[in-house]
């Protein structure tokens, strides 16, 4: 991976061989129990409690541990320990100006981390904690490593809604800084296997608690002095849910809707492809040059290319599903003639609109009527294309209402903002 200028932790550094990463398989995961749905710590067996205690000891001593949450797997470190946080950046290959979210196990822990909580922020906490909502709040000086906040005067904090995460954080006895447990820029991990694929040998341990529930990262919001809510990153809590609590519409700090023109060139494809798509891969020079020159973001996911498969990815939008399918099918056929291994990400209702075998790898996100299913399966779907060796991938756009806003946000980041308008 290319190291970004002025980002001292942007290059991965393997601490040892793959076997150096400890792996704890919780019985709830091996038995197929949905721990994200069952919130009771009492359901954990003695073996699971011992594994969590061992992982907590690793965190407390300055190590790094990947663990399940209701959103995706996180890579945790003691948020007070600069060397531990540095190890997270180094393992992920994460630019050091990208702040980390701090995870806590009890609401009372919040007062030790921040100087104030706006009444609107308090109402959101009442409504959505524990859960997939991160609040950006004024940080208490000297409490956290400055690497966590990227030098800003704010910190993002959340309380995950997962018994393993809560038990681990509580047992570690420290606030836990935890970005997603994947190599920076890659699709986020919703399974422990995804974590091992990206980070085995780079981190101390992995707690396998089964599949993540929501499948997309938390919604990140910041309450302004006048009480309005800015959504810095859409996620598992929708704008509609936020508005139901605050009584006013939340304002997006960045749009999930496709821009008028594509931007960035990742060089992700290794074969000639139609020029309409210029995204994917690890993020290209143009995209990173623009990112490096912009100020530090207030929340993760606002600056660099994220979630990308290795192949070039483009998003197809249009006035009708039929127009989208016709355009996508034509581009996929052209790319295949040029020697590309093609991939198609679509919704179940539209399969009949395509010719038989429209791509070498076709993955459905489920029904448009069930965006929760699409959210849960999106990152695993992007990794499926890597497994198939796809070099040219097209994805259907979806409406940006409800969870669709978060899905489109992640797709746009994964595609490096590359959009094809089918008319």
């Amino acid at each position: 991976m290319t190291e970004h200028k002025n980002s001292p932790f942007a290059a991965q550094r393997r601490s040892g061989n793959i076997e150096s990463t400890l792996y704890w398989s919780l019985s709830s995961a091996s038995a197929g129990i949905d721990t994200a749905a069952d919130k009771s710590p009492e359901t954990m067996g003695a073996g699971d409690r011992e594994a969590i205690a061992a992982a907590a000891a690793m965190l407390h001593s300055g190590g790094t541990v990947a663990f399940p949450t209701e959103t995706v797997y996180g890579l945790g470190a003691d948020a007070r320990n600069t060397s531990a946080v540095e190890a997270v950046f180094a393992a992920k290959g994460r630019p050091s100006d990208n702040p980390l979210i701090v995870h806590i196990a009890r609401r009372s822990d919040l007062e030790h981390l921040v100087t104030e909580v706006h009444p609107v922020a308090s109402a959101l906490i009442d409504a959505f904690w524990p859960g997939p909502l991160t609040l950006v709040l004024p940080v208490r000086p000297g409490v956290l490593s400055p690497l966590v906040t990227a030098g800003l005067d704010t910190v993002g904090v959340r309380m995950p809604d997962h018994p393993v995460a809560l038990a681990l954080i509580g047992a570690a006895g420290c606030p836990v800084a935890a970005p997603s447990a994947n190599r920076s820029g890659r699709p986020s991990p919703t399974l422990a296997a995804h974590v091992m694929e990206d980070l085995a040998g780079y981190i101390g341990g992995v707690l396998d608690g089964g599949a993540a529930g929501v499948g997309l990262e938390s919604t990140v919001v910041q309450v302004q002095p006048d009480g309005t809510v800015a959504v810095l990153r859409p996620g598992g809590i929708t704008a509609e849910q936020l508005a139901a609590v605050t009584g006013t519409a939340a304002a997006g700090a960045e749009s999930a809707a496709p821009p008028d023109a594509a931007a960035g060139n990742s060089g992700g494809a290794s074969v000639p492809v139609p020029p309409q798509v210029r995204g994917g891969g690890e993020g290209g020079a143009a995209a990173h040059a623009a990112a490096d020159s912009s100020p530090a973001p207030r929340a993760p996911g606002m600056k660099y290319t994220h979630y990308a498969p290795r192949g070039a990815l483009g998003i197809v939008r249009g006035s009708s599903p039929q127009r989208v399918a016709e355009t996508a099918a034509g581009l996929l056929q052209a790319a295949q003639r040029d020697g590309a291994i093609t991939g198609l990400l679509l919704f179940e209702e539209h399969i009949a609109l395509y010719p038989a075998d429209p791509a070498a790898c076709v993955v459905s996100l489920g029904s448009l009527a069930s965006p929760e299913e699409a959210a849960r399966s999106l990152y695993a779907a992007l990794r499926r294309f890597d497994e198939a060796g796809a070099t040219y991938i097209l994805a259907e756009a979806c409406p940006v209402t409800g969870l669709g806003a978060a899905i489109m946000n992640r797709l746009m980041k994964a595609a490096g903002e590359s959009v094809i308008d089918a008319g």
Side-chain angles (χ1 to χ4, degrees), residues 43-137:
T43 62
M44 296 181 188
D48 286 3
R49 291 195 295 271
E50 290 175 5
I52 291 171
M58 182 178 288
L59 281 178
H60 189 77
S61 64
T64 53
V65 175
F67 61 95
T69 77
E70 83 282 20
T71 57
V72 299
Y73 273 72
L75 176 57
D78 184 344
R80 307 165 303 181
N81 184 330
T82 291
S83 62
V85 176
E86 179 179 318
V88 169
F89 280 94
K92 282 178 60 68
R94 183 183 178 96
S96 60
D97 62 349
N98 206 357
L100 304 180
I101 291 172
V102 174
H103 295 64
I104 59 176
R106 295 169 295 273
R107 181 168 176 171
S108 59
D109 295 337
L110 187 61
E111 63 185 75
H112 303 296
L113 304 179
V114 304
T115 57
E116 61 177 320
V117 179
H118 193 284
V120 172
S122 183
L124 292 173
I125 289 172
D126 289 340
F128 300 116
W129 277 18
L133 180 70
T134 295
L135 288 113
V136 174
L137 300 164

Side-chain angles (χ1 to χ4, degrees), residues 269 271 273-274 276-277 311-313 328 331-332 335-336 340-344 359 389-394 420:
V271 297
V273 298
Q276 289 90 337
V277 173
L313 171 65
L331 289 171
L332 289 166
Q336 191 169 15
I341 300 173
T342 55
L344 174 62
T391 56
Y392 181 86
I393 308 158
L394 296 179
I420 300 157

Side-chain angles (χ1 to χ4, degrees), residues 5-16:
K5 184 180 180 182
N6 300 324
S7 298
F9 311 118
Q12 279 185 302
R13 300 176 185 131
R14 189 183 294 275
S15 59

Side-chain angles (χ1 to χ4, degrees), residues 238-346:
T238 67
E240 293 83 356
Q241 290 175 292
L242 295 171
V245 173
T246 64
T248 58
E254 60 174 20
S255 174
D260 291 333
N265 183 0
S266 73
S270 59
V271 297
V273 298
Q276 289 90 337
V277 173
R278 303 180 179 214
E282 302 294 339
H288 284 310
D292 289 340
S293 64
S294 63
R298 286 278 169 185
M302 294 183 68
K303 184 174 179 181
Y304 296 97
T305 299
H306 291 270
Y307 325 116
R310 296 189 177 96
L313 171 65
I315 300 170
V316 185
R317 63 174 179 180
S319 57
S320 70
Q322 184 69 49
R323 296 292 294 272
V324 168
E326 290 173 354
T327 299
L331 289 171
L332 289 166
Q333 290 173 358
Q336 191 169 15
R337 288 195 297 269
D338 286 340
I341 300 173
T342 55
L344 174 62
L345 188 64
L346 47 60

Side-chain angles (χ1 to χ4, degrees), residues 163-184:
V164 173
L166 293 174
L168 174 67
I169 298 166
C174 61
V176 174
S180 56
N182 57 295
R183 184 159 50 87
S184 189

